[in-house]
């Protein structure tokens, strides 16, 4: 008889009891009670519900218990068993770029890197693997050979909201972490993503450095600003996408074209929940503050301030990592009461994440994660074109 079995018997603990199942599963996933509540879709005061379950003060339903039991056994987005391409996911965040490629069914992720512990947790729950940490501390030789490199390198240094110091800002140098890996591993293709303002930062000098670096690495480079709203996502999110093809491998001229807009009509109502917890309605104090600041900005002749949307709006503003602070960029109108923030699940839909995507973190962390992530349908369409280009090249090579 093992020591653990002996202790369980001495304390008369029923390992099949709901309280033990819940507690063991939560600890297995290394989650707090709040994170666990979010992961299984509990709403207001979910952490209190989990706490009461673990104390056996109340019981989860049979369906809830079955869902909890299987939470880790089958991750929502496992790697495909059969694949044509391998990829690595740098500055991975919660895996939005990986997801855009993996949804094709023939791309396997074999390495990922993300330093934020909360993003690592979300990534792990959804893909079944925990990303490696700080990319600056990872040697090139420790990264496996791969066909495709993807990376949304930190954009704070280039965005209008940032300090605009570019390569003088340490966050701006993260591009060179990507460059050193490309230089060593020579992937066939890469996809990089950043804010639109990267193009104009420092009068275009920053972007020229990036293009020159990639040219020196002997890659044929294509870039374009794409809007999420053009690909079925009700969000006015503009990002620059940089695609590269290894000229040593693709000897002939590469005929890559960015995807055309899908022309799917969008409206904000498509991502909104029919019923939302009252905790997302902003307080009188915050609402008055929003209105006051908007009046002040208007007097100064600028358009800053909160933005209101409703179910019939074509799209929202861009959701940012700072959304958790006051939600001013996207507020949803409500009849006879203050407007509300979108929920984390609505934020996931606003970025085009599938409904199966698990959100195991607090609202604050979820807003940061989705604000920092990518519009998955845009990535999916770019990946389609990259894969198509490679297949056409291989077909010509055989003929």
């Amino acid at each position: 008889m093992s020591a653990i079995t002996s202790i369980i018997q001495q304390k008369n603990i029923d390992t099949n009891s709901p309280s033990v199942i819940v507690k063991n599963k939560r600890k297995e996933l290394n989650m707090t009670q709040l994170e666990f509540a979010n992961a299984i879709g509990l709403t207001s005061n979910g952490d209190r519900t989990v706490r009461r379950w673990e104390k056996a003060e109340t019981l989860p339903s049979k369906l809830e218990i079955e869902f909890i039991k299987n939470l880790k056994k089958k991750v929502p987005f496992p790697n495909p068993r059969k694949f044509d391409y391998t990829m690595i996911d740098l500055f991975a965040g919660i895996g939005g770029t990986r997801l855009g490629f993996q949804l094709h069914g023939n791309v396997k992720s074999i390495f990922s890197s993300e330093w934020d512990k909360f993003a690592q947790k979300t990534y792990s729950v959804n893909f079944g693997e925990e990303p490696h940490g700080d990319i600056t501390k990872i040697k090139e030789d420790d990264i496996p050979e791969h066909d495709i490199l993807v990376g949304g390198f930190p954009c704070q240094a280039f965005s209008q909201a940032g300090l605009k110091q570019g390569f003088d800002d340490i966050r701006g140098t993260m591009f060179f972490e990507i460059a050193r890996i490309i230089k060593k591993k020579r992937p066939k293709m890469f996809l990089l993503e950043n804010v639109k303002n990267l193009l104009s930062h420092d009068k275009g000098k920053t972007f020229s450095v990036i293009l020159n670096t990639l040219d020196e690495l002997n890659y044929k480079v294509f870039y374009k600003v794409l809007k999420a709203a053009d690909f079925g996502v009700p969000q006015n999110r503009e990002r620059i996408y940089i695609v590269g093809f290894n000229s040593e491998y693709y000897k002939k001229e590469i005929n890559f074209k960015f995807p055309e807009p899908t022309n799917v009509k969008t409206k904000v109502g498509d991502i909104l929940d029919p019923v939302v917890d009252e905790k997302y309605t902003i307080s009188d104090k915050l609402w008055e503050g929003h209105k006051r600041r908007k009046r002040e900005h208007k007097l100064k002749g600028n358009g800053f301030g909160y933005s209101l949307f409703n179910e019939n709006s074509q799209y929202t503003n861009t959701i940012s990592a700072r959304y958790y602070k006051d939600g001013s960029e996207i507020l949803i109108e409500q009849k006879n009461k203050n407007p509300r923030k979108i929920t984390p699940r609505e934020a996931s839909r606003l970025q085009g994440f599938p409904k199966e995507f698990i959100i195991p973190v607090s609202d604050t962390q979820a807003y940061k994660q989705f604000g920092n992530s990518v519009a998955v349908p845009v990535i999916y369409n770019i990946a389609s074109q990259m894969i198509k280009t490679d297949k056409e090249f291989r077909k010509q090579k055989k003929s």
Side-chain angles (χ1 to χ4, degrees), residues 234-303:
Q235 181 188 179
N236 188 29
R237 188 183 196 89
E238 293 183 292
R239 288 292 185 268
I240 184 169
Y241 298 93
I242 307 169
V243 174
F245 292 87
N246 188 336
S247 296
E248 294 173 5
Y249 177 79
Y250 299 99
K251 304 292 184 181
K252 300 178 181 179
E253 186 70 19
I254 288 297
N255 187 30
F256 174 78
K257 293 182 180 179
F258 278 95
E260 294 295 325
T262 58
N263 295 318
V264 175
K265 292 184 178 180
T266 64
K267 67 174 182 176
V268 175
D270 293 337
I271 64 102
L272 298 181
D273 288 320
V275 180
V276 173
D277 195 288
E278 281 298 318
K279 70 177 182 178
Y280 297 105
T281 297
I282 64 174
S283 66
D284 291 340
K285 183 178 180 181
L286 182 56
W287 183 219
E288 289 303 319
H290 280 324
K291 290 188 287 187
R292 184 187 71 253
R293 286 187 288 274
K294 185 142 189 168
R295 288 194 298 267
E296 292 170 352
H297 284 304
K298 189 174 182 179
L299 288 174
K300 293 178 182 178
N302 62 49

Side-chain angles (χ1 to χ4, degrees), residues 18-43 46-51 53-54 60 64-72 121 125 358-362:
S19 62
V20 174
I21 290 172
V22 170
K23 191 170 185 177
N24 287 347
K25 179 59 67 173
R26 179 175 65 79
K27 289 187 174 182
E28 176 191 329
L29 298 176
N30 189 29
M31 293 182 183
T32 65
Q33 290 173 334
L34 179 59
E35 290 169 345
F36 190 74
N38 288 327
I40 62 178
L42 297 179
T43 54
D47 56 333
R48 186 173 66 184
T49 299
V50 172
R51 186 161 54 250
W53 284 349
E54 292 185 2
E64 287 170 329
I65 279 293
E66 286 304 311
F67 181 82
I68 289 168
K69 284 180 178 179
N70 296 311
L71 193 56
K72 187 69 174 181
K121 182 169 290 187
V125 168
I358 298 171
I359 307 173
V361 293
S362 67

Side-chain angles (χ1 to χ4, degrees), residues 91-104:
F91 306 101
I94 58 175
T97 305
R98 167 180 176 160
L99 194 54
F101 278 83
Q102 194 168 303
L103 289 174
H104 283 276

Side-chain angles (χ1 to χ4, degrees), residues 270-378:
D270 293 337
I271 64 102
L272 298 181
D273 288 320
V275 180
V276 173
D277 195 288
E278 281 298 318
K279 70 177 182 178
Y280 297 105
T281 297
I282 64 174
S283 66
D284 291 340
K285 183 178 180 181
L286 182 56
W287 183 219
E288 289 303 319
H290 280 324
K291 290 188 287 187
R292 184 187 71 253
R293 286 187 288 274
K294 185 142 189 168
R295 288 194 298 267
E296 292 170 352
H297 284 304
K298 189 174 182 179
L299 288 174
K300 293 178 182 178
N302 62 49
F304 295 115
Y306 70 86
S307 295
L308 279 176
F309 301 91
N310 58 47
E311 61 181 14
N312 295 315
S313 301
Q314 186 176 358
Y315 47 72
T316 69
N317 289 335
T318 299
I319 187 170
S320 69
R322 66 170 295 282
Y323 185 75
Y324 73 95
K325 292 184 176 181
D326 58 22
S328 61
E329 64 260 43
I330 306 172
L331 290 175
I332 304 300
E333 291 179 335
Q334 299 188 102
K335 290 183 180 180
N336 303 320
K337 56 182 174 180
N338 297 346
R340 68 172 178 87
K341 295 198 293 184
I342 60 173
T343 69
R345 181 55 65 187
E346 290 171 336
S348 77
R349 296 190 197 111
L350 197 61
Q351 288 281 46
F353 279 76
K355 63 181 181 180
E356 296 84 4
F357 195 84
I358 298 171
I359 307 173
V361 293
S362 67
D363 285 4
T364 295
Q365 290 299 328
Y367 289 136
K368 288 181 181 179
Q369 291 176 4
F370 288 115
N372 277 328
S373 193
V374 295
V376 175
V378 179

